[in-house]
Amino acid sequence: MAEIDPISASLSAVEARLRTFFLPAKWDFHVVADPMSIEEFKAIVRRTPCLGLGWRQINPTDQKVGRRFQGTLGLRLTIVVKNPNGPKARFLGDTRGPGLFPSIAGAIALINGLTVPGLGTFSITAGAQAYAEGYGDHEMSIATLDIGSTVSIGDVTGDLAAAPAFLTMLSAFEPWPEGKDRDEPIEVRPTP
C-alpha cells in the first residue's frame, strides 16, 4: 500500500534512520524549510552538531499521470558541525566534535539504499559543501545532501477511504490550543 502522505512519512523514515547513529544526546535534529532564511538557520544552530531535514520538491515522473500521481520526491539534509580547533578539526573531527567529512559519509551510508514499504528506496542524488550567507561563524562547517525517492499519491487503492480522518486534518485543527502562546510552535498532526 502506498503512503497517503509520502512527504511526512519520508521525513519520519529518514529521521528514524539517521537517529540510529546520529544520537539525540549528541546531535540536534530539526525539520526545516529548504531553502532556509538566515533567521531559520540561526534558530537551528543554537546547539551543534545538528541536522536539518527539509522537503525540496516533488516532480512528476510521467506527464501522463492518470488517477495516481507518481513523482520523484526531493529532500535535503543539512549537516552543521562546529569545532574551535581550526579547519582540519572541523572537516576531519577530533575529541571536540565530529568532522564534517565523516558526518557526510555516515549520513550517506545510512540513507542511500534505505527501502521503506509504501515509500520506496531512498538515494543520495547530490552532496555539496555549503555556507550560510550573512552568518559569520568561522568555527562552523556545513554540508548538504540531496535525497530522492519515487513516491505515489492517490486513492486508486482506496487508501483515503481506509483513513477518512486524513483530509479532515487540513481543516479540523485548532490554530492556537488553549494555554499556548500564539508564537509558540504547535503540532497539528494527530498523535498515534
Side-chain angles (χ1 to χ4, degrees), residues 102-172:
S103 300
I104 294 166
I108 291 171
L110 288 168
I111 297 168
N112 197 67
L114 169 66
T115 300
V116 179
L119 291 175
T121 301
F122 293 91
S123 61
I124 302 298
T125 59
Q129 190 164 337
Y131 67 97
E133 188 171 342
Y135 193 79
D137 191 329
H138 300 290
E139 297 178 351
M140 181 181 301
S141 290
I142 308 166
T144 60
L145 294 177
D146 291 348
I147 304 164
S149 178
T150 301
V151 297
S152 297
I153 300 174
D155 197 27
V156 174
T157 59
D159 295 337
L160 288 176
F166 173 71
L167 288 178
T168 61
M169 289 190 317
L170 303 176
S171 58

Side-chain angles (χ1 to χ4, degrees), residues 8-32:
S8 298
S10 294
L11 290 169
S12 295
V14 170
E15 177 184 1
R17 179 67 168 201
L18 289 167
R19 288 298 199 181
T20 59
F21 285 94
F22 291 86
L23 302 176
K26 299 197 178 197
W27 284 82
D28 216 6
F29 184 92
H30 305 273
V31 173
V32 299

